[in-house]
Amino acid sequence: MVKSFLMLGQSNMAGRGYIHEVTPIYNERIQMLRNGRWQMMTEPINYDRPVSGISLASSFADTWCSQNNQNPKDTIGLIPCAEGGSSLDEWAVDQALFRHAITEAKFAMQSSQLTGILWHQGESDSMNGNYKVYYKKLLLIIDSLRRELNVPNIPILIGGLGDFLGKEGFGKSCTEYNFINQELQKFAFEQDNCYFVTASGLTSNPDGIHINAISQRKFGLRYFEAFSNRKHVMKPLINENELLSLNHARTHTKTEKMYMKSMDFALGKISYDEFLSQVMEINKD
C-alpha cells in the first residue's frame, strides 16, 4: 500500500537546497506524484521553479522506509503542492493553491492512504505585523483541509522558521520570523494532532532565506521524529549526522541501480555502450 503525504507551504517546503551538495537519495519504496502517476522519487520532488532542489521530504521519506521494515511492501508517496514565495493569504480556502492541493490529494487518495500533511510556510508573512492574524488564518486552512479530505485526525507536521532569517540577503526583510515561530508553536501545541518541528541550528544558502541541502536532510529527520512519535521536536536531534550516514550506507536494490544508470545515460553522463556494459554488470548480481 502507498502511504501518502501532502507537501504544503512555500519554497523551503518545495526545496531550494543545492542538489550537488548532498548524496542523492534513490529508493524504490519512495514514490512521488507526477503527471497523475506514482513515479520513483528523484530530486527535486516539488518542481515549482527551475531552481527547485533538495527539500526535507526526501530524507523524511527515506527514514520512513528504514523505520518501516516490518511492512517492506508498503511504499511512501509524496504529493508536492508547495509554491515558492506564497503567503498565507494565497493558501486561503478560496484561492488557487488550496484548491490545487485538495484536487491533488483527492486524486492521490484513489490509490493511496493519506497519512500526513507536511507544512512549512511563514517567511513571506514575517513582516508588516502579519503574525497578529497568522493563527486564525492557519486554523481556517487546516480545518478546511481536514474537512474536505475527510481526514479529521490526520497528523499535521508544522516546521519552524530558521533562525538565520532577518540578517542578510533575501532573508533580511523577514524581521518578524520569531513572532511567526511563536504562532506556529502555539498552533501546534493547542490543536489536536499537530506537531511542531524546530528549525533551530539549521543553516541557509548564501541567499539568507533558503535552507541549504544538508540542513534540509536534517530537517526531514526531525519531521519524521515528530511524525513517528507524535510529539513536538523542540531541539535538534543528537544523532542527525549518524542517521544520515546510516541512510546513505544502505545497499541499493537492482531496480534502483538500473534507474540510476538509466538516468546517467539519459542525462548524457555515460555513453550507450557504457550504459549497456553497466546494466549487464547489474544483472549479474
Side-chain angles (χ1 to χ4, degrees):
M1 170 175 283
V2 178
K3 304 292 182 67
S4 57
F5 290 80
L6 185 59
M7 300 167 56
L8 303 178
Q10 55 182 115
S11 55
N12 276 323
M13 175 57 71
R16 296 291 189 264
Y18 302 149
I19 289 179
H20 68 275
E21 291 186 347
V22 291
T23 302
I25 294 175
Y26 292 102
N27 189 324
E28 63 179 310
R29 292 179 63 197
I30 306 176
Q31 307 287 307
M32 61 182 182
L33 189 64
R34 184 162 290 178
N35 291 336
R37 304 179 65 181
W38 292 115
Q39 304 180 23
M40 188 187 297
M41 185 198 78
T42 55
E43 297 173 287
I45 302 163
N46 198 123
Y47 198 86
D48 65 317
R49 300 285 192 283
V51 294
S52 295
I54 302 299
S55 75
L56 61 92
S58 45
S59 56
F60 171 88
D62 203 35
T63 308
W64 183 94
C65 291
S66 67
Q67 299 294 321
N68 283 276
N69 290 323
Q70 69 272 22
N71 296 306
K73 292 184 179 181
D74 283 352
T75 60
I76 181 171
L78 301 171
I79 310 168
C81 292
E83 172 68 14
S86 55
S87 67
L88 198 61
D89 283 340
E90 291 177 284
W91 281 98
V93 298
D94 60 344
Q95 296 298 306
L97 295 179
F98 182 90
R99 303 313 310 169
H100 172 254
I102 292 293
T103 300
E104 289 291 285
K106 286 184 175 180
F107 181 83
M109 291 168 76
Q110 296 177 24
S111 57
S112 71
Q113 177 185 345
L114 190 63
T115 305
I117 296 176
L118 312 180
W119 175 271
H120 191 278
Q121 192 280 336
E123 290 90 350
S124 292
D125 290 274
S126 297
M127 60 194 76
N128 301 324
N130 290 337
Y131 69 91
K132 297 175 183 177
V133 292
Y134 194 93
Y135 188 113
K136 182 178 180 180
K137 290 180 179 180
L138 182 59
L139 182 59
L140 288 172
I141 293 167
I142 297 301
D143 282 351
S144 297
L145 279 169
R146 284 173 159 165
R147 182 174 59 256
E148 293 208 30
L149 298 175
N150 194 27
V151 285
N153 299 312
I154 195 168
I156 312 289
L157 309 176
I158 299 175
L161 305 185
D163 47 24
F164 49 76
L165 293 171
K167 298 177 177 64
E168 60 184 2
F170 296 134
K172 193 172 184 179
S173 61
C174 303
T175 55
E176 297 172 353
Y177 77 92
N178 269 324
F179 294 115
I180 294 292
N181 270 341
Q182 290 172 20
E183 295 304 307
L184 291 168
Q185 286 185 35
K186 181 181 178 184
F187 186 92
F189 293 168
E190 293 181 353
Q191 299 302 313
D192 291 339
N193 298 310
C194 290
Y195 306 96
F196 181 79
V197 183
T198 183
S200 176
L202 300 184
T203 54
S204 73
N205 290 334
D207 60 17
I209 195 169
H210 292 122
I211 301 169
N212 71 14
I214 186 62
S215 286
Q216 283 281 20
R217 291 282 195 250
K218 294 177 180 179
F219 212 13
L221 296 178
R222 299 177 192 179
Y223 266 72
F224 181 76
E225 178 77 7
F227 171 76
S228 62
N229 294 308
R230 299 296 196 272
K231 69 175 187 180
H232 308 296
V233 175
M234 303 304 298
K235 59 183 179 180
L237 308 181
I238 60 173
N239 58 341
E240 289 176 347
N241 290 327
E242 178 184 352
L243 288 171
L244 290 177
S245 296
L246 287 173
N247 286 359
H248 294 330
R250 184 182 67 85
T251 301
H252 286 112
T253 67
K254 181 179 289 189
T255 299
E256 291 160 5
K257 291 177 182 177
M258 292 287 286
Y259 186 84
M260 287 187 280
K261 294 306 175 185
S262 297
M263 288 274 290
D264 287 344
F265 171 62
L267 293 171
K269 295 181 179 179
I270 57 176
S271 68
Y272 181 65
D273 289 340
E274 289 172 323
F275 171 69
L276 290 179
S277 174
Q278 292 174 20
V279 166
M280 289 178 63
E281 286 299 316
I282 292 171
N283 285 327
K284 289 179 182 178
D285 295 339

